[in-house]
Amino acid sequence: MVRNAKRLNGPLSGSHVATVDYGVLDDLVGYAVRRAQLRVTEAFDSAFAETGLTTQRFSALVFITRNPGMKQSELAHLMRASAPQISLVLDALIRLRLAERRAVASDRRSHALYASAEGLARLESLERLAREHDQRVTAGLDATERRQLRALLNKVGPNPVST
């Protein structure tokens, strides 16, 4: 039994450890997706370290920027996150001066979300950084394979996305 996963320098980063028997896990698509997700997220966090953005924060910023006036509850639904989780993400974006909450006149408990002027100004360079990161983590795939992978992943799960 593996007692200190960090010591192995593998499972925590989504890598395989040669001395560990993974059993049925190696046959499961979900496990392969999760390992890949860990590796991609780790690389994203490294690429975005200086920006203060995590994958969740970046995703929220993109949604807010592309959908001005979106309600916090709508963002939570889109990101499959709880209200407290989204509040933390938004608090961070506001601290970074990338987004702002505005009270909705018709419902004082509801907030509309907007990118700040700084968020709008920085979005293009952040999107470029995200695309560069995506190119790096999929460097072993050509353009056709990248499209195929996205299409195949969209078919996975109980509610597949049509492409």
Side-chain angles (χ1 to χ4, degrees):
M1 177 169 191
V2 177
R3 294 193 193 280
N4 187 353
K6 203 170 206 157
R7 175 179 54 83
L8 293 172
N9 193 22
L12 297 180
S13 64
S15 299
H16 244 241
V17 176
T19 59
V20 174
D21 181 352
Y22 288 82
V24 69
L25 296 175
D26 278 336
D27 297 330
L28 302 176
V29 170
Y31 187 71
V33 168
R34 177 66 175 141
R35 278 194 347 256
Q37 187 264 336
L38 288 169
R39 291 190 305 267
V40 170
T41 299
E42 186 177 88
F44 183 97
D45 290 346
S46 177
F48 275 72
E50 292 182 16
T51 70
L53 293 176
T54 62
T55 55
Q56 269 195 324
R57 292 174 187 172
F58 176 73
S59 298
L61 180 62
V62 171
F63 279 129
I64 292 166
T65 303
R66 302 289 182 208
N67 304 277
M70 172 182 281
K71 290 194 174 121
Q72 202 165 312
S73 59
E74 294 169 326
L75 180 62
H77 176 75
L78 281 170
M79 293 184 61
R80 292 202 159 109
S82 68
Q85 286 173 315
I86 285 300
S87 286
L88 292 173
V89 169
L90 291 171
D91 289 347
L93 289 176
I94 291 165
R95 246 189 342 272
L96 292 167
R97 298 185 179 133
L98 299 175
E100 53 191 48
R101 290 182 184 102
R102 296 181 194 164
V104 176
S106 61
D107 181 1
R108 289 184 295 169
R109 294 174 300 165
S110 185
H111 291 94
L113 306 172
Y114 294 88
S116 65
E118 187 171 340
L120 290 169
R122 290 186 55 200
L123 186 65
E124 187 177 324
S125 66
L126 292 169
E127 286 179 341
R128 185 174 39 258
L129 184 60
R131 289 182 192 284
E132 290 167 0
H133 155 74
D134 198 62
Q135 287 293 320
R136 275 191 307 280
V137 299
T138 60
L141 306 174
D142 63 31
T144 300
E145 290 169 327
R146 281 186 196 92
R147 282 190 299 278
Q148 288 172 333
L149 179 58
R150 282 192 306 271
L152 289 170
L153 289 172
N154 282 334
K155 291 182 176 185
V156 174
N159 301 308
V161 178
S162 56
T163 53

